[in-house]
Amino acid sequence: MAELRLEHVYKTYKGNVEAVIDLNLSVRDGEFLALLGPSGCGKTSTLRMIVGLEEITKGKIYIGERVVNNLEPKDRNVALAFETYALYPPLTIRENISFCLRAKNISSEKIERKVNDVASMLGIEDILDRKPGEIGGGQKQRVSLARALVRDPEVLLLDEPLSHLDAAQRAHMRTELKRLHAEIRRTTILVTHDQLEAVAMAERIAVMNFGVLQQVGTFDEVYLNPANEFVAGFVGEPPMNFLICEPKSEGDDLFLIGLDGSFRLKLIPKLRMKVLEKKPKTIKLGIRPIHIEISKTPGQNGKLELPANVFTFEFLGEEGQVVAKVGQQEVLAMTPPSMRLTMNENIWLQMHTEFTYLFDGETGVSLLY
Amino acid sequence: MAKVKLENITKTFGNVVAVNNLSLEIEDGEFMVLLGPSGAGKTTTLKLISGNETPEKGLIYIGNRIVNPLEPQQRNVAMAFESYALYPHFTVYENLAFPLKAPGRNYSTQQIDNRVKEVAELLNITPLLSRAPAHLSGGQRQRVSLGRALVRDPDILLLDEPISHLDAKLRHRMRAEFKAISSRIKTTILYVTHDYLEAMSLPDRVAIIDHGTLHQVGSPEDVFRRPANIFVASLLGQPKINLIKCRISTEDGKICFTGLNGGVRLLTNDYIRDRVLKTNLDHVIIGIRPFNMIPVDEVHENETIISGKVYVYERLGTRGILTFSVENQNFDLITPISMDFKIDAPVNVKIDVNEIMIFDPTTEKNIFID
């Protein structure tokens, strides 16, 4: 077990493609961190540099106190469990798991013991004598993990481990991986494009986009205080709604005027101060679907409220979901189990000020920082 | 548009029975979703209706015609696929007009123009008519693909997983979009999917099949609240419904369900008692949806409580999923707000007994449904 630290790490591919730009990140000893971002954000390049499959263009990677830049992959004591399981088809599961140990001159009793230990930890004792072709996707996943863990790595890397399981298996493996980490407390990095996986499993989340680390923090820090529009839109499902508006001062008050004059919101003093300080030309008002309450009548004065019109309403079993038009802009919101809405019905979207976000309309940077 | 009726349809491929004695009626103008896991026989059913496969047994009616002997092009059925398959070198207008220019269709240029514009208006794609497919967003492409299927005015529109290849975020969006479009289309629609949210959101009715056999047909709310059997109950909802094998006994005039693994004891109301007594069962399988359980700090009298240990807690935005274990069986529940739990800490969970479902352990049927 060890801490993992990246200091000013860059990865530039041929033709000046900058995959990773000045990445500073440390993963604590025993921590479970998710590296989250869309495809092409640099997360896999980062992972490959940690493992040693990719040269580091600039910067340093530490595992514990050692700089590992110049170490071969096998000398780094890092284990990688793949998205594609990459199991050897002609070997039994037991042989697949013990393969890397047999290459290392370890006594066969010791190998036997280690394989059995890791197999019982992952609940795959009963399939050890089968071949990869004879087991299911969820089991292959566990075998791939067993093969990584049997080497006793200091850092465990999981590359999109759940992405090609079906929905039910994915939910199950998510639970199991989280539980497993709690039991073994090994430094673990999960690489994923699925925010749900990151949020559900990891202790901290590092969000990347275009090779740049956007924000790193606990779920609360990232979800409740997103640094910018990208993070706000990427973490959370259904995604945050953004409404374009312009700030307008009237006397001592500051209003947000929606595109085409579709709404007019008076800002509370705390938010007014932030806007006056940063002076953005346009503002994106961010509201999470879960923080909107739907009312069929306009509320009393003083509440943040947007007049809207039902575009679609879906009842999804336990609760519902509505897409409403605020002028020309669309807002998605959740509805309680008993509410039914019809198309083109007039509704009012009410919001709590504590869950209202403001971003600079041009740079996307949060105005609340 | 027309009513479509399948009567005792069977289709096998070698030893595999893909569709097994299936009878199903889709009303004129109805939007029906065919829901099932992969391999359930959904796509085969579509192909039997379109005429791309022939059933060994049974009759297929479109309107009042039996269409079994008819070729696909004689059936007036349109199919739109998961991949949009638009002609990249044609404009949107030309893509829409193409099916009307097929050999054997003698439409005048004026008739074609009228129909293309009518469909474009219906789908809100009039401003896109002169664009090439490459310059359309995913949602716009989907609408054009639908338009091409609708332009011939088919009796039934068949859709095979039209949005399942999209990622989660886009799917939310497209589902809503599709819902808006479908409310304007008057055509009879059969829509195949494995995603229960699409089945809840979109149709008038949903038909649930597995291994070629029909399990239940009903409105989304009906199949969700009153599933016919364990298969249907497990297919609808994420996380899945929790199932507990229980022994039945009577205590002070009440029915008591005791989990076979131990740790679970539920006392039920009179309505459930009367129903259970009628069945003469000594064991049942209880189903509890994750939404109908909640962790509590204090336990009051007359509440139904299961005590267990925290297995894992996953926070998902403002809510979370708590997996807890009772005598080595794991259960999932959804917390409405996000909470904090320590792994292996004891937890008391309150159950809404009025919302439980009860299944016969042998037939797996819901005992409340005849």
Side-chain angles (χ1 to χ4, degrees):
Chain A
M1 291 220 286
E3 184 197 41
L4 172 80
R5 210 161 75 244
L6 288 83
E7 278 182 5
H8 301 289
V9 168
Y10 288 77
K11 178 71 205 178
T12 311
Y13 290 102
K14 258 183 218 158
N16 275 331
V17 180
E18 295 187 300
V20 177
I21 302 160
D22 197 19
L23 178 60
N24 291 289
L25 184 64
S26 63
V27 189
R28 296 177 205 122
D29 190 3
E31 186 180 25
F32 194 153
L33 179 121
L35 208 50
L36 173 69
S39 52
C41 75
K43 58 187 190 301
T44 301
S45 295
T46 304
L47 179 91
R48 292 171 62 84
M49 287 191 284
I50 297 170
V51 183
L53 297 172
E54 200 84 72
E55 214 169 291
I56 300 158
T57 309
K58 219 163 88 182
K60 279 182 185 155
I61 296 181
Y62 294 83
I63 294 176
E65 291 308 308
R66 289 192 301 177
V67 176
V68 297
N69 287 39
N70 297 319
L71 296 183
E72 290 292 314
K74 64 180 168 54
D75 299 325
R76 294 190 183 192
N77 205 11
V78 162
L80 178 63
F82 277 101
E83 172 182 15
T84 51
Y85 316 115
L87 302 178
Y88 304 110
L91 301 186
T92 63
I93 300 306
R94 185 190 303 281
E95 288 163 337
N96 263 287
I97 297 173
S98 62
F99 196 80
C100 61
L101 297 181
R102 280 188 286 156
K104 272 189 180 169
N105 240 341
I106 302 175
S107 76
S108 49
E109 291 104 77
K110 204 169 169 193
I111 291 179
E112 173 86 23
R113 204 174 57 240
K114 281 193 152 211
V115 171
N116 288 341
D117 282 353
V118 77
S120 82
M121 187 166 75
L122 291 165
I124 51 171
E125 305 103 308
D126 50 334
I127 56 165
L128 284 176
D129 296 314
R130 293 204 217 157
K131 299 260 172 80
E134 299 162 4
I135 63 175
Q139 290 173 319
K140 278 187 196 161
Q141 189 67 61
R142 261 170 274 182
V143 174
S144 172
L145 263 176
R147 204 173 47 177
L149 287 172
V150 79
R151 295 166 46 197
D152 248 334
E154 288 185 294
V155 177
L156 177 63
L157 301 168
L158 307 171
D159 190 7
E160 304 270 4
L162 310 181
S163 65
H164 60 279
L165 300 176
D166 69 32
Q169 275 182 326
R170 202 153 56 219
H172 179 70
M173 270 313 281
R174 213 171 59 203
T175 308
E176 292 299 327
L177 275 177
K178 180 155 186 178
R179 173 80 195 184
L180 179 72
H181 176 262
E183 283 169 6
I184 65 176
R185 299 262 11 136
R186 193 131 340 172
T187 311
T188 303
I189 300 179
L190 165 75
V191 166
T192 181
H193 68 279
D194 182 343
Q195 65 90 29
L196 192 71
E197 283 174 20
V199 161
M201 291 194 279
E203 291 159 302
R204 285 192 308 152
I205 303 163
V207 185
M208 290 184 78
N209 195 27
F210 297 125
V212 177
L213 182 65
Q214 307 285 318
Q215 188 171 9
V216 57
T218 63
F219 168 71
D220 278 343
E221 286 162 353
V222 172
Y223 184 84
L224 297 174
N225 289 305
N228 56 42
E229 187 190 343
F230 177 80
V231 173
F234 203 80
V235 178
E237 203 183 281
M240 186 183 275
N241 298 291
F242 298 103
L243 290 165
I244 300 170
C245 42
E246 275 178 21
K248 195 174 170 215
S249 287
E250 280 178 23
D252 280 346
D253 291 332
L254 188 69
F255 290 86
L256 292 184
I257 311 294
L259 198 69
D260 325 316
S262 52
F263 61 88
R264 202 178 128 90
L265 285 182
K266 187 171 143 185
L267 287 180
I268 58 165
K270 194 181 106 196
L271 296 180
R272 188 182 67 208
M273 297 299 289
K274 298 280 187 188
V275 174
L276 290 176
E277 192 183 310
K278 310 244 164 97
K279 298 189 178 60
K281 274 198 203 110
T282 58
I283 288 176
K284 279 192 181 161
L285 172 66
I287 321 154
R288 293 200 185 276
I290 204 116
H291 294 144
I292 298 173
E293 270 175 55
I294 310 277
S295 171
K296 296 199 175 196
T297 49
Q300 304 83 359
N301 287 337
K303 240 180 182 173
L304 280 185
E305 185 175 73
L306 303 174
N309 189 268
V310 175
F311 181 59
T312 59
F313 171 70
E314 300 173 274
F315 179 67
L316 301 172
E318 329 259 11
E319 56 190 352
Q321 194 172 296
V322 60
V323 176
K325 293 240 179 182
V326 176
Q328 292 303 306
Q329 307 189 75
E330 285 178 8
V331 173
L332 192 151
M334 312 306 288
T335 57
S338 58
M339 182 175 270
R340 298 290 182 277
L341 299 171
T342 49
M343 269 175 93
N344 299 321
E345 187 176 350
N346 288 322
I347 53 172
W348 284 263
L349 311 177
Q350 300 177 337
M351 301 158 300
H352 302 281
T353 46
E354 56 182 317
F355 295 124
T356 306
Y357 300 91
L358 301 176
F359 302 94
D360 187 309
E362 277 155 28
T363 63
V365 174
S366 173
L367 298 173
L368 305 184
Y369 264 62
Chain B
M1 61 182 188
K3 177 172 163 167
V4 174
K5 192 165 122 195
L6 307 181
E7 221 175 66
N8 305 104
I9 296 290
T10 296
K11 171 74 191 171
T12 56
F13 296 104
N15 292 329
V16 182
V17 182
V19 176
N20 188 4
N21 198 25
L22 178 69
S23 295
L24 187 64
E25 283 185 40
I26 309 159
E27 299 299 328
D28 193 1
E30 184 180 25
F31 186 160
M32 181 178 276
V33 159
L34 200 54
L35 175 72
S38 56
K42 310 182 293 285
T43 301
T44 305
T45 306
L46 279 199
K47 287 183 173 169
L48 288 167
I49 297 172
S50 69
N52 296 89
E53 296 287 355
T54 321
E56 272 103 66
K57 277 190 222 145
L59 294 174
I60 300 172
Y61 297 80
I62 297 178
N64 296 318
R65 285 196 302 178
I66 292 174
V67 297
N68 290 47
L70 298 183
E71 291 294 318
Q73 65 271 23
Q74 298 168 317
R75 295 191 181 195
N76 200 21
V77 163
M79 207 156 172
F81 288 97
E82 178 179 7
S83 52
Y84 311 117
L86 301 176
Y87 301 108
H89 51 288
F90 282 179
T91 62
V92 169
Y93 184 98
E94 289 161 339
N95 265 288
L96 291 178
F98 193 79
L100 300 177
K101 294 178 179 165
R105 294 182 188 277
N106 301 311
Y107 294 110
S108 69
T109 317
Q110 189 56 51
Q111 279 171 320
I112 291 176
D113 189 58
N114 288 345
R115 184 64 190 148
V116 167
K117 285 182 176 156
E118 195 183 324
V119 167
E121 201 58 40
L122 180 74
L123 297 175
N124 280 338
I125 48 175
T126 308
L128 311 176
L129 283 175
S130 56
R131 288 205 209 163
H135 298 140
L136 301 176
S137 71
Q140 292 168 335
R141 247 177 258 176
Q142 189 192 34
R143 271 182 279 168
V144 176
S145 165
L146 265 179
R148 204 172 51 177
L150 288 172
V151 76
R152 290 192 281 122
D153 201 9
D155 283 333
I156 180 167
L157 176 61
L158 304 173
L159 297 161
D160 194 1
E161 307 254 6
I163 61 176
S164 64
H165 63 296
L166 303 170
D167 67 35
K169 270 187 188 161
L170 212 52
R171 215 154 53 214
H172 268 299
R173 197 63 212 79
M174 294 294 282
R175 205 176 59 220
E177 178 127 326
F178 196 89
K179 174 124 186 166
I181 296 169
S182 70
S183 67
R184 292 207 298 274
I185 302 174
K186 299 287 177 277
T187 312
T188 310
I189 299 175
L190 185 60
Y191 179 114
V192 160
T193 183
H194 67 273
D195 180 351
Y196 91 94
L197 287 175
E198 287 167 36
M200 288 289 104
S201 151
L202 298 171
D204 300 313
R205 287 192 303 158
V206 52
I208 293 151
I209 66 170
D210 188 37
H211 292 109
T213 306
L214 185 68
H215 281 263
Q216 192 172 8
V217 187
S219 73
E221 202 160 346
D222 195 40
V223 294
F224 189 84
R225 298 209 185 285
R226 296 161 47 81
N229 54 38
I230 289 179
F231 176 79
V232 175
S234 305
L235 196 63
L236 306 172
Q238 187 64 40
K240 273 192 206 170
I241 192 166
N242 299 288
L243 299 169
I244 317 163
K245 260 202 172 145
C246 291
R247 194 174 57 241
I248 304 174
S249 57
T250 36
E251 255 176 49
D252 304 334
K254 284 189 167 182
I255 284 276
C256 178
F257 299 115
T258 312
L260 293 191
N261 286 346
V264 175
R265 227 178 77 90
L266 306 174
L267 275 174
T268 60
N269 59 33
D270 294 354
Y271 173 65
I272 294 178
R273 181 195 61 204
D274 294 346
R275 191 75 203 197
V276 170
L277 289 178
K278 254 191 236 169
T279 62
N280 288 323
L281 292 167
D282 51 4
H283 287 81
V284 286
I285 293 174
I286 301 292
I288 311 173
R289 291 213 184 270
F291 257 92
N292 297 323
M293 299 201 274
I294 186 141
V296 287
D297 291 331
E298 286 173 36
V299 176
H300 301 285
E301 224 174 300
N302 293 328
E303 288 178 344
T304 303
I305 301 289
I306 301 182
S307 302
K309 272 195 326 194
V310 173
Y311 187 74
V312 162
Y313 182 63
E314 298 166 79
R315 293 183 65 168
L316 310 170
T318 33
R319 56 174 64 155
I321 299 175
L322 172 66
T323 306
F324 65 101
S325 64
V326 180
E327 304 293 331
N328 288 324
Q329 187 185 356
N330 278 1
F331 299 96
D332 290 327
L333 67 78
I334 294 175
T335 63
I337 50 165
S338 68
M339 302 167 81
D340 276 313
F341 293 97
K342 283 213 167 61
I343 278 186
D344 290 332
V347 60
N348 288 319
V349 172
K350 188 169 116 185
I351 289 174
D352 186 348
V353 181
N354 297 318
E355 296 290 336
I356 64 172
M357 297 177 193
I358 303 171
F359 303 97
D360 183 317
T362 323
T363 63
E364 302 203 338
K365 283 189 175 142
N366 188 335
I367 68 162
F368 288 97
I369 293 178
D370 299 308

